[in-house]
Structures are given as C-alpha cells and as structure tokens.
Amino acid sequence: MSQAKVPVWVNVGLIPFINIVLAFLVSGLVFVAIGQNPIEAAGYLVYGAFGYDEGIGYTLYYATNFIFTGLAVSVAFKAGLFNIGGEGQAYIGGLGVGLVCLSLDHSMPFIVIMPLAIIAAALFGAAWAYVPAYLQARRGSHIVITTIMFNFIASSLMVYLMVNWLKEKTGMAPNSRTFEENAWMPYLHNMLTPLGIDIGDSPLNGAFILALVCCVLVWVLIWHTRWGYQLRTLGTNPTAAKYAGIDTAKVTIWVMLISGGLAGFVGINEIMGVNHSLLLNFTAGYGFAGIAVSLMGRNHPIGIVLAAILFGALYQGGAELAFEIPSITPEVVVVIQGLVILFCGALEHMFKGRIEGFFIRRAATQEK
C-alpha cells in the first residue's frame, strides 16, 4: 500500500482541522478549570474576531503580519532551512521603512514614498538575513543558532538607534517623530467604503494587499520557476542537489535573502500602515508566531493565509474575550494560542498514521 493513495486533501485539510478542533477542546477544559463557561467564552472569541465589521478589520490586520512572517519561514523551510530570525528581520525591515519615511515625507508624494519603502523593507530584512545565510552556506554555522542570535542583536541595535539617533527631540519616549500623512499607507476602510464594503474604523491597510500579492509571487517562485525547483531539490535531498549541479551554497543564500525580505514587510504594515512613526518592539512576537503559521499552513501560501487568519482571530477575539470576561486574563488567551501551536505543530502526527491508514485501507478495498 502506497502513501500516494492517501488523498491530498487529507494531509492538507482534514488532519490540520482535526488538530485545531482538539486544541480548542482542550482549551475548553482550561476554561472549565478556571470556572468559566467554555461555550460562552468561545462565543465572545468568535464574535470579537468575526462578529462585527471593525473586529473583522482587526483580525485581518493581525493576519497581515502573520502572512508575511509565515511566508518567510515557508520559503526557507522548503529549502531545508529553519529560519528562526523572522523577528529580527522584521525589526530591521521596519527600520528601513522608517528611515525612508522620515527622510522623504516632507519632500515626496506617497506615490514615490510607497515603492521606496517597500524596497527598503525588503532590502533591510534581506540584509539582516544575509550574514546567517553566508555563515550557513560558506562556514557551516547552523542557521537556527545564528538567526536566533541575530534577533537579539537586532533588538539591541534598534534600542541604540532609537535612544541616541532617531528619537524625537521634544519627547521622552524612544519614538521617532510622526510621519507626514503622505507617508502613511492608506487604510482599507477609506478605500472600501465608497464600494459599499464596511470594515469599521480598523487599522487594516494596504499592506494586506501587499501580503496577498506576496502569496501569489511565492507560489509562482516555488512551484513554477527553475529557481523554485532548485530550492525544493535542496530541501528534499541536498546530496542529490549537488549531484544535479545545483550550487547549494548560492541557493541557500538567495533563499534566505527572500525569506528575510518577506519578514521585513511587517514594517510596512506596522510602521507605515499603523504607528506612523518608528518605535521599539513593534514586531510583538510576529516573527516567532510565523513559524507556527507556516507549519499549520503546510508551508503553502493558501494554507498560510488560512492559518494567519486563525491566529489573527485568536489575537482579536482574545482581546474581546478578556474585555467581556475580566477574570480571563490575556495570559489565558496565550495558553489557547500555545495549545493551537502544540496540536498543529508538535503533535500534528498524533493521529496522522491512523487517519492515513484508514484512507489507505479504504482505497485498497475499493480497488478489489
């Protein structure tokens, strides 16, 4: 009996769905343990994420960041590289966006600033991923260790720059001045309201469209280009890739550059789209959560979008839940997120063998 007889939708859809259901069932037990009604809590969570226009806007705003970081992890993972540095790459990408906006907002229109900010986000994020990539490709350093350490270096670098160079002179907080409005990414509620689509006064902005475009470009790159074939070959069998004449060191470097550039786009959403100033800690853990988003989405752009929306719903719905039931602290919401990651990541194979075995036996029976 061959593994190929298992329908694709089983691994892509059914097994992740079962894992998510199990995660929420266990989450229900957590609510029972703290004396809360899990049905009532689930209702508030779903309502907060999807029950009204502004909630949907916030859910998609959070999902935008998860799409960028999920794609970043996915591209690297397809090449057999585990990029843990999305947090630092997003941080430095945001620095690039902030520098462009601070330099040009007094002299250039939005139509000029926007493409330059996007390029800066990609270049700064890619540049921060280059050193770990080079060390992995040319010196044999482990990509996981170097990318983790570069997260801490990025954090320290941003503190130094914000405190000593970029802080607004008249303020005490380590923030830059607010950008002029011509350096703001347009809010989607301003763009969609004339079309009769209402998403409330949410921070969802044009970066969401950029995220969807990135999904399409990643799909084309990985599955419909010669570069994508080299990338997937390296991830599947590095020895075979070398025998096929693929320069594995070169592929490692350019894959990590793309991965870092994708993570850097978080700066477009956060710095240019929402905060409108350069500030500390705007990444808020999106780089690390992107690992779970990528794993849940099976490293495919469509799956990543769905997983990103789920995590966005947990963020937004969790805030609504904590507001409506004060005894449920934000830490409880983090527990729910952790359970989703646990069941969809570490425990994803718990029922996989039984489910696949069922479909294999079913297929064999139908062939007789």
Side-chain angles (χ1 to χ4, degrees), residues 68 276 355:
F68 287 135
H276 306 136
I355 295 172

Side-chain angles (χ1 to χ4, degrees), residues 40-52 54-55 58 62 313-326 328 333:
E40 180 185 11
Y44 282 127
L45 194 150
V46 174
Y47 174 78
F50 302 109
Y52 58 102
E54 189 174 352
Y58 268 93
Y62 292 125
L314 289 174
Y315 268 53
Q316 170 57 20
E320 182 79 16
L321 179 61
F323 177 78
E324 295 291 344
I325 307 178
I328 297 180
V333 179

Side-chain angles (χ1 to χ4, degrees), residues 130-318:
Y130 173 76
V131 176
Y134 177 84
L135 293 175
Q136 163 86 13
R138 304 297 185 186
R139 294 292 181 265
S141 301
H142 202 290
I143 197 73
V144 171
I145 302 300
T146 53
T147 50
I148 287 176
M149 295 310 300
F150 265 64
N151 287 333
F152 292 100
I153 297 172
S155 179
S156 299
L157 176 62
M158 285 293 292
V159 170
Y160 173 79
L161 292 176
M162 291 305 306
V163 171
N164 295 283
W165 295 94
L166 299 174
K167 184 174 72 71
E168 187 177 17
K169 295 180 180 179
T170 58
M172 295 297 293
N175 298 346
S176 73
R177 64 172 176 81
T178 301
F179 308 147
E180 299 295 327
E181 289 194 20
N182 58 305
W184 295 11
M185 184 65 73
Y187 288 113
L188 284 192
H189 61 78
N190 293 332
M191 301 167 62
L192 296 178
T193 299
L195 302 177
I197 302 174
D198 187 8
I199 56 171
D201 189 17
S202 70
L204 183 65
N205 58 82
F208 179 68
I209 298 174
L210 175 63
L212 297 180
V213 171
C214 287
C215 287
V216 175
L217 294 178
V218 167
W219 175 74
V220 171
L221 168 69
I222 294 178
W223 283 282
H224 294 278
T225 66
R226 180 174 60 87
W227 287 359
Y229 175 76
Q230 292 180 351
L231 180 158
R232 287 182 286 120
T233 302
L234 174 62
T236 303
N237 192 326
T239 303
K242 289 181 179 179
Y243 274 106
I246 296 174
D247 187 340
T248 57
K250 184 177 180 181
V251 173
T252 295
I253 291 174
W254 67 253
V255 165
M256 282 297 296
L257 292 179
I258 294 174
S259 179
L262 288 167
F265 287 144
V266 170
I268 296 293
N269 190 38
E270 290 295 320
I271 299 301
M272 194 176 182
V274 178
N275 293 295
H276 306 136
S277 64
L278 193 56
L279 69 164
L280 296 178
N281 301 322
F282 66 86
T283 51
Y286 293 120
F288 296 115
I291 300 170
V293 170
S294 179
L295 292 175
M296 285 183 60
R298 292 300 190 268
N299 297 304
H300 191 284
I302 294 177
I304 287 170
V305 170
L306 296 176
I309 292 174
L310 172 62
F311 269 78
L314 289 174
Y315 268 53
Q316 170 57 20

